[in-house]
Amino acid sequence: MRPPRLLDGPGEGRYRHAVEAGPAGSAIARADVARAMLDFVPDARTHGHAVGVSR
């Protein structure tokens, strides 16, 4: 995971991501990073790769 600046507080329930690329946005809630991590577990396209996430 390559998140940008992490924010405290509730997540938005959505995020953008890119495999082997940095985050497109400038911040993301910790809750949304956690959601993304869980979403990527069954996704074989993300295994062994850095994934940028942002809101």
Side-chain angles (χ1 to χ4, degrees):
M1 298 297 295
R2 290 183 179 164
R5 182 172 55 102
L6 295 172
L7 303 173
D8 292 327
E12 297 179 2
R14 58 188 172 87
Y15 56 87
R16 295 182 289 174
H17 74 282
V19 176
E20 294 297 339
S26 61
I28 189 170
R30 285 170 167 51
D32 289 331
V33 173
R35 173 79 264 160
M37 292 172 92
L38 292 174
D39 289 346
F40 296 152
V41 169
D43 187 350
R45 296 172 297 167
T46 62
H47 296 180
H49 297 281
V51 181
V53 295
S54 65
R55 60 177 173 176

Tab-separated table of all heavy atoms in Angstrom:
chain	number	residue	atom	x	y	z
A	1	MET	N	0.846	-1.166	0.000
A	1	MET	CA	0.000	0.000	0.000
A	1	MET	C	0.893	1.231	0.000
A	1	MET	O	1.873	1.310	0.733
A	1	MET	CB	-0.869	0.007	1.248
A	1	MET	CG	-1.820	-1.172	1.379
A	1	MET	SD	-3.045	-1.309	0.111
A	1	MET	CE	-4.006	0.119	0.377
A	2	ARG	N	0.478	2.180	-0.811
A	2	ARG	CA	1.141	3.479	-0.878
A	2	ARG	C	0.088	4.570	-0.705
A	2	ARG	O	-0.333	5.199	-1.668
A	2	ARG	CB	1.838	3.655	-2.220
A	2	ARG	CG	3.034	2.784	-2.406
A	2	ARG	CD	3.688	3.091	-3.730
A	2	ARG	NE	4.874	2.271	-3.902
A	2	ARG	CZ	5.468	2.084	-5.055
A	2	ARG	NH1	4.991	2.654	-6.141
A	2	ARG	NH2	6.535	1.330	-5.135
A	3	PRO	N	-0.323	4.798	0.526
A	3	PRO	CA	-1.297	5.870	0.737
A	3	PRO	C	-0.598	7.223	0.823
A	3	PRO	O	0.580	7.301	1.180
A	3	PRO	CB	-1.931	5.508	2.075
A	3	PRO	CG	-0.844	4.800	2.809
A	3	PRO	CD	-0.070	4.046	1.749
A	4	PRO	N	-1.309	8.296	0.508
A	4	PRO	CA	-0.769	9.640	0.742
A	4	PRO	C	-0.954	9.983	2.223
A	4	PRO	O	-1.032	9.083	3.054
A	4	PRO	CB	-1.630	10.511	-0.168
A	4	PRO	CG	-2.944	9.807	-0.208
A	4	PRO	CD	-2.606	8.333	-0.121
A	5	ARG	N	-1.103	11.224	2.540
A	5	ARG	CA	-1.296	11.655	3.927
A	5	ARG	C	-2.517	10.958	4.513
A	5	ARG	O	-3.592	10.946	3.917
A	5	ARG	CB	-1.491	13.167	3.973
A	5	ARG	CG	-1.647	13.740	5.355
A	5	ARG	CD	-1.641	15.258	5.327
A	5	ARG	NE	-2.644	15.787	4.424
A	5	ARG	CZ	-3.816	16.286	4.809
A	5	ARG	NH1	-4.134	16.318	6.088
A	5	ARG	NH2	-4.663	16.749	3.929
A	6	LEU	N	-2.339	10.362	5.687
A	6	LEU	CA	-3.430	9.627	6.340
A	6	LEU	C	-4.230	10.556	7.247
A	6	LEU	O	-3.659	11.350	7.989
A	6	LEU	CB	-2.864	8.468	7.160
A	6	LEU	CG	-2.184	7.373	6.344
A	6	LEU	CD1	-1.501	6.383	7.263
A	6	LEU	CD2	-3.184	6.679	5.454
A	7	LEU	N	-5.539	10.426	7.167
A	7	LEU	CA	-6.436	11.242	7.970
A	7	LEU	C	-7.119	10.388	9.024
A	7	LEU	O	-7.451	9.231	8.778
A	7	LEU	CB	-7.510	11.870	7.076
A	7	LEU	CG	-7.014	12.722	5.914
A	7	LEU	CD1	-8.197	13.133	5.036
A	7	LEU	CD2	-6.267	13.938	6.426
A	8	ASP	N	-7.338	10.957	10.210
A	8	ASP	CA	-8.141	10.306	11.242
A	8	ASP	C	-9.598	10.617	10.935
A	8	ASP	O	-9.911	11.530	10.188
A	8	ASP	CB	-7.767	10.836	12.626
A	8	ASP	CG	-6.360	10.413	13.031
A	8	ASP	OD1	-5.935	9.315	12.638
A	8	ASP	OD2	-5.687	11.191	13.730
A	9	GLY	N	-10.480	9.859	11.516
A	9	GLY	CA	-11.901	10.112	11.310
A	9	GLY	C	-12.528	9.055	10.419
A	9	GLY	O	-11.856	8.137	9.947
A	10	PRO	N	-13.812	9.188	10.185
A	10	PRO	CA	-14.520	8.175	9.401
A	10	PRO	C	-14.099	8.202	7.934
A	10	PRO	O	-13.746	9.250	7.391
A	10	PRO	CB	-15.990	8.570	9.546
A	10	PRO	CG	-15.954	10.027	9.832
A	10	PRO	CD	-14.692	10.269	10.618
A	11	GLY	N	-14.141	7.044	7.329
A	11	GLY	CA	-13.837	6.954	5.907
A	11	GLY	C	-15.051	7.311	5.070
A	11	GLY	O	-16.164	7.444	5.572
A	12	GLU	N	-14.818	7.457	3.766
A	12	GLU	CA	-15.899	7.759	2.829
A	12	GLU	C	-16.495	6.482	2.240
A	12	GLU	O	-17.518	6.532	1.566
A	12	GLU	CB	-15.383	8.650	1.714
A	12	GLU	CG	-14.903	10.003	2.187
A	12	GLU	CD	-14.363	10.865	1.062
A	12	GLU	OE1	-14.392	10.430	-0.116
A	12	GLU	OE2	-13.902	11.971	1.359
A	13	GLY	N	-15.806	5.347	2.443
A	13	GLY	CA	-16.297	4.094	1.906
A	13	GLY	C	-15.935	3.875	0.450
A	13	GLY	O	-16.425	2.966	-0.193
A	14	ARG	N	-15.073	4.735	-0.086
A	14	ARG	CA	-14.629	4.586	-1.473
A	14	ARG	C	-13.188	5.076	-1.582
A	14	ARG	O	-12.715	5.834	-0.734
A	14	ARG	CB	-15.534	5.348	-2.430
A	14	ARG	CG	-15.640	6.821	-2.138
A	14	ARG	CD	-16.715	7.490	-3.006
A	14	ARG	NE	-16.935	8.859	-2.581
A	14	ARG	CZ	-16.234	9.892	-3.014
A	14	ARG	NH1	-15.272	9.732	-3.888
A	14	ARG	NH2	-16.504	11.100	-2.569
A	15	TYR	N	-12.517	4.647	-2.618
A	15	TYR	CA	-11.123	5.027	-2.830
A	15	TYR	C	-10.755	4.783	-4.286
A	15	TYR	O	-11.451	4.073	-5.009
A	15	TYR	CB	-10.191	4.215	-1.917
A	15	TYR	CG	-10.353	2.719	-2.093
A	15	TYR	CD1	-9.645	2.040	-3.066
A	15	TYR	CD2	-11.234	1.998	-1.302
A	15	TYR	CE1	-9.814	0.680	-3.250
A	15	TYR	CE2	-11.411	0.639	-1.474
A	15	TYR	CZ	-10.691	-0.014	-2.455
A	15	TYR	OH	-10.856	-1.362	-2.646
A	16	ARG	N	-9.667	5.396	-4.723
A	16	ARG	CA	-9.103	5.135	-6.043
A	16	ARG	C	-7.830	4.333	-5.816
A	16	ARG	O	-7.167	4.496	-4.797
A	16	ARG	CB	-8.748	6.432	-6.760
A	16	ARG	CG	-9.952	7.285	-7.075
A	16	ARG	CD	-9.569	8.525	-7.829
A	16	ARG	NE	-8.860	9.428	-6.925
A	16	ARG	CZ	-8.296	10.561	-7.301
A	16	ARG	NH1	-8.322	10.929	-8.567
A	16	ARG	NH2	-7.693	11.333	-6.434
A	17	HIS	N	-7.468	3.493	-6.773
A	17	HIS	CA	-6.228	2.750	-6.627
A	17	HIS	C	-5.562	2.538	-7.981
A	17	HIS	O	-6.217	2.623	-9.022
A	17	HIS	CB	-6.464	1.408	-5.932
A	17	HIS	CG	-7.124	0.381	-6.787
A	17	HIS	ND1	-8.475	0.398	-7.028
A	17	HIS	CD2	-6.627	-0.667	-7.472
A	17	HIS	CE1	-8.785	-0.621	-7.810
A	17	HIS	NE2	-7.678	-1.291	-8.107
A	18	ALA	N	-4.258	2.308	-7.937
A	18	ALA	CA	-3.480	2.019	-9.137
A	18	ALA	C	-2.348	1.073	-8.748
A	18	ALA	O	-1.642	1.313	-7.768
A	18	ALA	CB	-2.916	3.296	-9.737
A	19	VAL	N	-2.199	0.000	-9.505
A	19	VAL	CA	-1.141	-0.986	-9.241
A	19	VAL	C	0.181	-0.446	-9.774
A	19	VAL	O	0.247	0.062	-10.893
A	19	VAL	CB	-1.493	-2.340	-9.893
A	19	VAL	CG1	-0.374	-3.341	-9.704
A	19	VAL	CG2	-2.792	-2.872	-9.308
A	20	GLU	N	1.228	-0.533	-8.947
A	20	GLU	CA	2.573	-0.067	-9.276
A	20	GLU	C	2.592	1.412	-9.647
A	20	GLU	O	3.307	1.837	-10.551
A	20	GLU	CB	3.190	-0.907	-10.397
A	20	GLU	CG	3.460	-2.345	-10.005
A	20	GLU	CD	4.479	-2.513	-8.869
A	20	GLU	OE1	5.291	-1.595	-8.623
A	20	GLU	OE2	4.451	-3.563	-8.218
A	21	ALA	N	1.788	2.196	-8.953
A	21	ALA	CA	1.759	3.643	-9.154
A	21	ALA	C	1.492	4.316	-7.820
A	21	ALA	O	0.936	3.703	-6.912
A	21	ALA	CB	0.673	4.029	-10.150
A	22	GLY	N	1.897	5.548	-7.727
A	22	GLY	CA	1.661	6.300	-6.503
A	22	GLY	C	0.206	6.729	-6.406
A	22	GLY	O	-0.554	6.613	-7.372
A	23	PRO	N	-0.184	7.225	-5.246
A	23	PRO	CA	-1.566	7.659	-5.068
A	23	PRO	C	-1.873	8.894	-5.910
A	23	PRO	O	-1.022	9.768	-6.090
A	23	PRO	CB	-1.657	7.960	-3.579
A	23	PRO	CG	-0.259	8.219	-3.151
A	23	PRO	CD	0.617	7.400	-4.043
A	24	ALA	N	-3.090	8.957	-6.441
A	24	ALA	CA	-3.488	10.085	-7.284
A	24	ALA	C	-3.898	11.302	-6.457
A	24	ALA	O	-3.755	12.430	-6.911
A	24	ALA	CB	-4.649	9.668	-8.185
A	25	GLY	N	-4.413	11.084	-5.272
A	25	GLY	CA	-4.877	12.180	-4.421
A	25	GLY	C	-3.849	12.563	-3.375
A	25	GLY	O	-2.746	12.017	-3.329
A	26	SER	N	-4.236	13.498	-2.519
A	26	SER	CA	-3.286	13.996	-1.522
A	26	SER	C	-3.562	13.496	-0.110
A	26	SER	O	-2.759	13.742	0.789
A	26	SER	CB	-3.292	15.522	-1.523
A	26	SER	OG	-4.583	15.996	-1.181
A	27	ALA	N	-4.685	12.792	0.108
A	27	ALA	CA	-5.020	12.307	1.453
A	27	ALA	C	-6.043	11.189	1.360
A	27	ALA	O	-6.741	11.052	0.350
A	27	ALA	CB	-5.572	13.444	2.314
A	28	ILE	N	-6.127	10.403	2.441
A	28	ILE	CA	-7.126	9.336	2.538
A	28	ILE	C	-7.306	8.987	4.012
A	28	ILE	O	-6.358	9.052	4.802
A	28	ILE	CB	-6.718	8.091	1.720
A	28	ILE	CG1	-7.864	7.063	1.649
A	28	ILE	CG2	-5.451	7.468	2.258
A	28	ILE	CD1	-7.624	5.934	0.661
A	29	ALA	N	-8.521	8.634	4.378
A	29	ALA	CA	-8.809	8.237	5.758
A	29	ALA	C	-8.223	6.851	6.034
A	29	ALA	O	-8.213	5.986	5.157
A	29	ALA	CB	-10.310	8.217	6.004
A	30	ARG	N	-7.740	6.659	7.234
A	30	ARG	CA	-7.199	5.358	7.624
A	30	ARG	C	-8.231	4.244	7.414
A	30	ARG	O	-7.900	3.139	7.009
A	30	ARG	CB	-6.762	5.383	9.086
A	30	ARG	CG	-5.473	6.132	9.349
A	30	ARG	CD	-5.259	6.293	10.861
A	30	ARG	NE	-3.980	6.714	11.344
A	30	ARG	CZ	-3.250	7.739	10.972
A	30	ARG	NH1	-3.658	8.497	9.993
A	30	ARG	NH2	-2.104	8.040	11.536
A	31	ALA	N	-9.497	4.547	7.681
A	31	ALA	CA	-10.557	3.558	7.508
A	31	ALA	C	-10.673	3.122	6.052
A	31	ALA	O	-10.923	1.946	5.767
A	31	ALA	CB	-11.889	4.122	7.997
A	32	ASP	N	-10.465	4.035	5.110
A	32	ASP	CA	-10.536	3.678	3.697
A	32	ASP	C	-9.322	2.865	3.265
A	32	ASP	O	-9.429	1.984	2.408
A	32	ASP	CB	-10.686	4.929	2.831
A	32	ASP	CG	-12.062	5.567	2.979
A	32	ASP	OD1	-13.033	4.843	3.264
A	32	ASP	OD2	-12.161	6.791	2.794
A	33	VAL	N	-8.168	3.124	3.864
A	33	VAL	CA	-6.984	2.296	3.582
A	33	VAL	C	-7.234	0.872	4.081
A	33	VAL	O	-6.935	-0.101	3.383
A	33	VAL	CB	-5.709	2.886	4.224
A	33	VAL	CG1	-4.537	1.935	4.071
A	33	VAL	CG2	-5.377	4.235	3.606
A	34	ALA	N	-7.811	0.743	5.258
A	34	ALA	CA	-8.118	-0.582	5.798
A	34	ALA	C	-9.107	-1.310	4.890
A	34	ALA	O	-8.946	-2.496	4.607
A	34	ALA	CB	-8.687	-0.454	7.212
A	35	ARG	N	-10.129	-0.614	4.408
A	35	ARG	CA	-11.107	-1.209	3.491
A	35	ARG	C	-10.415	-1.681	2.210
A	35	ARG	O	-10.673	-2.777	1.711
A	35	ARG	CB	-12.190	-0.181	3.164
A	35	ARG	CG	-13.179	-0.596	2.107
A	35	ARG	CD	-14.234	-1.529	2.660
A	35	ARG	NE	-13.857	-2.904	2.402
A	35	ARG	CZ	-14.323	-3.959	3.047
A	35	ARG	NH1	-15.178	-3.814	4.023
A	35	ARG	NH2	-13.947	-5.169	2.763
A	36	ALA	N	-9.533	-0.859	1.682
A	36	ALA	CA	-8.806	-1.218	0.458
A	36	ALA	C	-7.951	-2.461	0.687
A	36	ALA	O	-7.921	-3.362	-0.158
A	36	ALA	CB	-7.937	-0.052	-0.002
A	37	MET	N	-7.275	-2.532	1.814
A	37	MET	CA	-6.434	-3.694	2.108
A	37	MET	C	-7.271	-4.976	2.112
A	37	MET	O	-6.858	-5.989	1.540
A	37	MET	CB	-5.716	-3.509	3.440
A	37	MET	CG	-4.684	-2.406	3.415
A	37	MET	SD	-4.008	-2.061	5.041
A	37	MET	CE	-2.610	-3.140	5.023
A	38	LEU	N	-8.432	-4.921	2.726
A	38	LEU	CA	-9.304	-6.096	2.755
A	38	LEU	C	-9.820	-6.432	1.356
A	38	LEU	O	-9.926	-7.603	0.992
A	38	LEU	CB	-10.464	-5.872	3.714
A	38	LEU	CG	-10.082	-5.802	5.190
A	38	LEU	CD1	-11.301	-5.419	6.028
A	38	LEU	CD2	-9.486	-7.110	5.669
A	39	ASP	N	-10.133	-5.414	0.567
A	39	ASP	CA	-10.612	-5.646	-0.794
A	39	ASP	C	-9.534	-6.271	-1.677
A	39	ASP	O	-9.848	-7.032	-2.596
A	39	ASP	CB	-11.072	-4.338	-1.435
A	39	ASP	CG	-12.357	-3.798	-0.835
A	39	ASP	OD1	-13.056	-4.536	-0.103
A	39	ASP	OD2	-12.657	-2.610	-1.090
A	40	PHE	N	-8.267	-5.963	-1.430
A	40	PHE	CA	-7.181	-6.451	-2.282
A	40	PHE	C	-6.753	-7.879	-1.959
A	40	PHE	O	-6.087	-8.517	-2.767
A	40	PHE	CB	-5.961	-5.536	-2.189
A	40	PHE	CG	-6.202	-4.140	-2.708
A	40	PHE	CD1	-5.471	-3.078	-2.208
A	40	PHE	CD2	-7.160	-3.889	-3.671
A	40	PHE	CE1	-5.678	-1.793	-2.682
A	40	PHE	CE2	-7.389	-2.604	-4.146
A	40	PHE	CZ	-6.645	-1.552	-3.649
A	41	VAL	N	-7.124	-8.411	-0.803
A	41	VAL	CA	-6.716	-9.772	-0.434
A	41	VAL	C	-7.119	-10.802	-1.493
A	41	VAL	O	-6.286	-11.584	-1.934
A	41	VAL	CB	-7.248	-10.158	0.972
A	41	VAL	CG1	-7.062	-11.633	1.230
A	41	VAL	CG2	-6.547	-9.328	2.041
A	42	PRO	N	-8.365	-10.828	-1.950
A	42	PRO	CA	-8.722	-11.839	-2.951
A	42	PRO	C	-8.375	-11.440	-4.397
A	42	PRO	O	-8.579	-12.233	-5.318
A	42	PRO	CB	-10.242	-11.959	-2.794
A	42	PRO	CG	-10.670	-10.612	-2.339
A	42	PRO	CD	-9.544	-10.121	-1.459
A	43	ASP	N	-7.848	-10.247	-4.616
A	43	ASP	CA	-7.564	-9.750	-5.964
A	43	ASP	C	-6.133	-10.109	-6.372
A	43	ASP	O	-5.179	-9.452	-5.973
A	43	ASP	CB	-7.764	-8.239	-6.003
A	43	ASP	CG	-7.660	-7.646	-7.397
A	43	ASP	OD1	-7.240	-8.368	-8.327
A	43	ASP	OD2	-7.991	-6.462	-7.543
A	44	ALA	N	-5.977	-11.144	-7.176
A	44	ALA	CA	-4.653	-11.633	-7.580
A	44	ALA	C	-3.844	-10.581	-8.336
A	44	ALA	O	-2.612	-10.639	-8.339
A	44	ALA	CB	-4.801	-12.885	-8.430
A	45	ARG	N	-4.499	-9.607	-8.951
A	45	ARG	CA	-3.759	-8.564	-9.691
A	45	ARG	C	-2.922	-7.685	-8.778
A	45	ARG	O	-1.988	-7.019	-9.234
A	45	ARG	CB	-4.738	-7.691	-10.471
A	45	ARG	CG	-5.497	-8.436	-11.556
A	45	ARG	CD	-6.573	-7.578	-12.159
A	45	ARG	NE	-7.557	-7.260	-11.100
A	45	ARG	CZ	-8.490	-6.342	-11.202
A	45	ARG	NH1	-8.591	-5.628	-12.293
A	45	ARG	NH2	-9.330	-6.141	-10.210
A	46	THR	N	-3.237	-7.676	-7.471
A	46	THR	CA	-2.494	-6.826	-6.545
A	46	THR	C	-1.416	-7.587	-5.771
A	46	THR	O	-0.587	-6.961	-5.114
A	46	THR	CB	-3.445	-6.164	-5.532
A	46	THR	OG1	-4.085	-7.174	-4.750
A	46	THR	CG2	-4.489	-5.318	-6.234
A	47	HIS	N	-1.413	-8.899	-5.853
A	47	HIS	CA	-0.449	-9.704	-5.089
A	47	HIS	C	0.968	-9.455	-5.588
A	47	HIS	O	1.242	-9.529	-6.782
A	47	HIS	CB	-0.773	-11.189	-5.197
A	47	HIS	CG	-2.096	-11.545	-4.597
A	47	HIS	ND1	-2.577	-12.821	-4.591
A	47	HIS	CD2	-3.047	-10.796	-3.974
A	47	HIS	CE1	-3.748	-12.846	-4.004
A	47	HIS	NE2	-4.062	-11.632	-3.624
A	48	GLY	N	1.864	-9.138	-4.675
A	48	GLY	CA	3.259	-8.920	-5.011
A	48	GLY	C	3.536	-7.559	-5.659
A	48	GLY	O	4.607	-7.348	-6.204
A	49	HIS	N	2.568	-6.666	-5.607
A	49	HIS	CA	2.734	-5.344	-6.218
A	49	HIS	C	2.459	-4.253	-5.196
A	49	HIS	O	1.683	-4.440	-4.257
A	49	HIS	CB	1.760	-5.156	-7.387
A	49	HIS	CG	1.997	-6.100	-8.501
A	49	HIS	ND1	2.995	-5.922	-9.416
A	49	HIS	CD2	1.353	-7.239	-8.844
A	49	HIS	CE1	2.962	-6.918	-10.291
A	49	HIS	NE2	1.977	-7.735	-9.959
A	50	ALA	N	3.048	-3.101	-5.413
A	50	ALA	CA	2.715	-1.917	-4.620
A	50	ALA	C	1.441	-1.316	-5.223
A	50	ALA	O	1.304	-1.256	-6.441
A	50	ALA	CB	3.846	-0.899	-4.674
A	51	VAL	N	0.538	-0.923	-4.367
A	51	VAL	CA	-0.730	-0.351	-4.827
A	51	VAL	C	-0.903	1.010	-4.187
A	51	VAL	O	-0.899	1.149	-2.971
A	51	VAL	CB	-1.918	-1.267	-4.451
A	51	VAL	CG1	-3.224	-0.672	-4.970
A	51	VAL	CG2	-1.719	-2.660	-4.998
A	52	GLY	N	-1.048	2.027	-5.020
A	52	GLY	CA	-1.330	3.374	-4.526
A	52	GLY	C	-2.819	3.538	-4.304
A	52	GLY	O	-3.618	3.110	-5.142
A	53	VAL	N	-3.203	4.091	-3.170
A	53	VAL	CA	-4.617	4.348	-2.871
A	53	VAL	C	-4.796	5.794	-2.446
A	53	VAL	O	-3.932	6.386	-1.818
A	53	VAL	CB	-5.173	3.415	-1.771
A	53	VAL	CG1	-5.177	1.980	-2.236
A	53	VAL	CG2	-4.416	3.555	-0.484
A	54	SER	N	-5.921	6.386	-2.810
A	54	SER	CA	-6.246	7.738	-2.382
A	54	SER	C	-7.740	7.931	-2.512
A	54	SER	O	-8.446	7.081	-3.037
A	54	SER	CB	-5.498	8.768	-3.226
A	54	SER	OG	-5.924	8.718	-4.573
A	55	ARG	N	-8.224	9.068	-2.043
A	55	ARG	CA	-9.669	9.313	-2.179
A	55	ARG	C	-9.951	10.114	-3.410
A	55	ARG	O	-9.117	10.575	-4.107
A	55	ARG	CB	-10.243	10.006	-0.958
A	55	ARG	CG	-9.653	11.347	-0.653
A	55	ARG	CD	-10.346	11.946	0.533
A	55	ARG	NE	-9.644	13.169	0.893
A	55	ARG	CZ	-10.026	13.959	1.828
A	55	ARG	NH1	-11.073	13.673	2.532
A	55	ARG	NH2	-9.359	15.038	2.118
